[in-house]
Structures are given as C-alpha cells and as structure tokens.
Amino acid sequence: MTQHNQKTSGWLSRRTTLVSALGALALSILANGYFYSLEGARGLYVWHPIIALKIVLFMGLVPISIAIVALPLEKLAQKLAMRVVRWLSFVSSIIVSIISIALVAFLIVVPRTGSLEPARLKLVDPAKGIHALGTQPAEASFSAGTTNKGAAQPGITLPQSQSAALQPATDAQARSPLDQPLLRLSFSSDPHWGADTSNATARTQILEGIAAGKPDAFFMLGDTVETGNSATQWNLALSDLEALIPAVPLRPMLGNHDALFGGQYIYRKAFYPKGFSSDSGSPYYWSIDAGSATIVAVDLPWGTEMFGARQRAWLEKTLAAADPRKPLIVISHSFFYASGYDDPTFDTPWYDHYQNIPALVPLFEKYGVDLVISGHNHYQELLAHNGVTYAIIGSMGGIPDPEPSYRSPWSRWINVGGYGWLDVEVLPGRLALTFRSETGEARQRATIEY
Ligand SMILES: [Fe+2]
C-alpha cells in the first residue's frame, strides 16, 4: 500500500477533511455576518440570547476543531481512531454547511417573498416634514384633565407633588386663545399585531381615539408586529391602520420585533415606499421639520447595536443644527431612563438602559433636547433627568409588562398594566403632554418649558 493510499484510507483524506471543515467555517462566517448585518440582529444576541443563537454563532468552529484533533491520531499504528474522528469532522462540516446555507436562504427569501396587501395610508415622508393642520385641540374629543404645574425639575413643569401626579386628570381644561396649540402630535408604541397575547380591542380603541383627535401626525414607535419576517402579521396591521386611521399622517418606526429575521425589508415595503427619503439617507433614523418643532428619530431597536459611527455623527450634527427657538423632540423604540424588571429567563435589565444612556444621553444634555419619547417597555412612564424629560408610551396593545421590580430614581409617574397613548401639544414656550388610557381618558399631564 502506498503512503498516499494510507492517508486516504477509508477514502477520507486529511485534505478532504480539512477542506470541508474550512469550507463549513467560511459558510458559517458568511451566514453569521449576513445575519449580523441585518437591523437589530446583534441586539437579539445581547438581549434575547436563546441557545439556538449561540449554536449558530459558534457551530463553524466544531468541524475544524475535530479535524485538528484527527491530526496527531495519524501517528498511531492503529488508524481506526483517526478514521472515526475524520468522519466526525466531515459529517459535522456537512451539517454546519447545510445550516449556514439554510439560514441565509431563510433570512433572504422569507421576508422578500411574503405578499403585502396594499393599504391606503397617509404616510409621512421624513424628507417632506409635517404640516400643522390647524384643527381643534385634542381635548375637544375627550374628557380632559386639570393642567398640573410646579417647578419640580429644571426645565420641566411637573405636578406639584408626587401624590398629585398619581391622581388621574379628569376635569375639563379651560383654554385661553393663547393656549391654542401650534402643533398636535400623538405617539404610541408596541401594538404587536400577530401576538396571541396582544389586546386587539385596546389597540382598536387607541386608533379610534387618535383618529378622533385628528393630530397633525401620529408616530408609532415600533414593534408594529410580533415577528418582523411574517407578511401575514404586517397585513393584519396594514388592514387595521387603513380601516381606522386612513386620514391621520402616520410615521411608524422600526422596533426590535419588526426587525426580526430580515423584517426590515417588509417594514420598508409597508411604511417607507419608493420615493421616500430622509436627511440621514436611512429609513430608520432621520429628522423631521415639523414647523414649530424639530423631531429627531434614532434607530435603537434593542439598544445601541445599530448606533455606529455614521448614525452618531449624523445625530450630533442634527442636534447641533436644530433651531434653539423650537422644542427639540427625540423619538426611539428602545428607552433611556425607565423603571422595569430583570428578564426572568436571560437576566437582562429592562430598565435604565445601560447601552443607550451612556451613548446618547450626553448628546441630549449637551444640545438641549427637551423631550425624549420611547416605547419598548410596555408601561406609561414620565421621567426627568438633567433638564431632559423622558416619556415611555407603551403599550398600544402589546401585553403589559409586570409590576416593575426596579424603580428608576428619575421616575416621576408610572402607569402599569394598562394601554394607551401620549398626546403632545406644542404651544408657545411649552409642550403639553397628556398620557391617555385606551379609551382616551387623560391619566396624567405634564408641561415642559422650552
Ligand atoms: Fe420592543
């Protein structure tokens, strides 16, 4: 028997073993690289690290590791162990290659092949801005509450005492002609169409209430659907939005659930059609000229996984260039300061965001941001820190989060276990915030001077 034949005994040579293992490693790097390049995918590894994700991340190392183990076994007189280990490496190479190719195919094909039903919506193109409609204030449609005032925090006028803050506002509000809003905006987040646990009745009530209020624009801050690559779930959302708010200028953002497994492609088809553009060049972060306010959207699906050097430079430039005479409002899916809880499965902290706060809050404070509005946590909460006010406005139907085990030291008011939305009126010199329940009742009010 020649030496060559000895090396290829069992017709699996050292070369075949190593080449197949390196091929599997390359395919797995490509698959993970593609997955990592998608919106929000890296956040999934940090905030929701299920075992399958870790297997996909490290599986490429298995065949090559086994192939290396086979090398010293070549020196043994008995070749059986070497043959077995080479075969193990080869079979694992085939499995890893198949999984890698299937993953890329799944990520590319599924979100691109789902058929989306066309919906007649009044989508806001970030490049075109928002124009005040000059309609009656939202309070005309609802039983509104007493405006609470008091200097609780520099730059923010909040209820005079914490006890007052916790009382629902129910009295009709008197307005002088000077109180007529320059701009009226509504915000909500986390409707989670497609989730069995979401409350469709509350979601419908909220949309009906917003339609009745006729705001100049409605911002839906993400997690429109439960699983982003499911066209079926997006169709449910589009059909309800078309039925309930066809005339309301609508600007949805991308949440972590929307982004799941290539969902960004369906999001763009549904909410950022051809012809739309933005100052940043991205469909996921942009600034909007709203006439009497500047609105800046940042792309933070789970946290800072998409907040790279490009978005950071754009944000700093945009905040620095904002007109200081107008209120500066930042919106995002994931939150900054927040009360919350530790995820019971992954032990991840869903409160005072350890990524978003150090990365963005110094910019908010440096450039005089007045109000930051986010979703992600399914509470309504009002917080204030260093002259910046933070509002969290989940949930628009997504299952309410549990009673927070952690209360942020910057929290001023919180409502747990309910649904609702937030109205923001831009008035001369101040912003008037009204947190509403799903039936439109004013739960809490706050005023921010700008
Ligand atoms: Fe979320």
Side-chain angles (χ1 to χ4, degrees), residues 292-311:
S292 53
T294 304
I295 299 171
V296 179
V298 284
D299 183 24
L300 306 168
W302 295 87
T304 53
E305 68 273 9
M306 305 309 295
F307 193 69
R310 184 171 161 232
Q311 186 179 172

Side-chain angles (χ1 to χ4, degrees), residues 190 192 223 255-257 301 333 350 375-378:
D190 297 80
H192 289 266
D223 286 0
N256 56 310
H257 279 261
H333 179 66
W350 288 68
H376 203 37
N377 267 359
H378 298 185

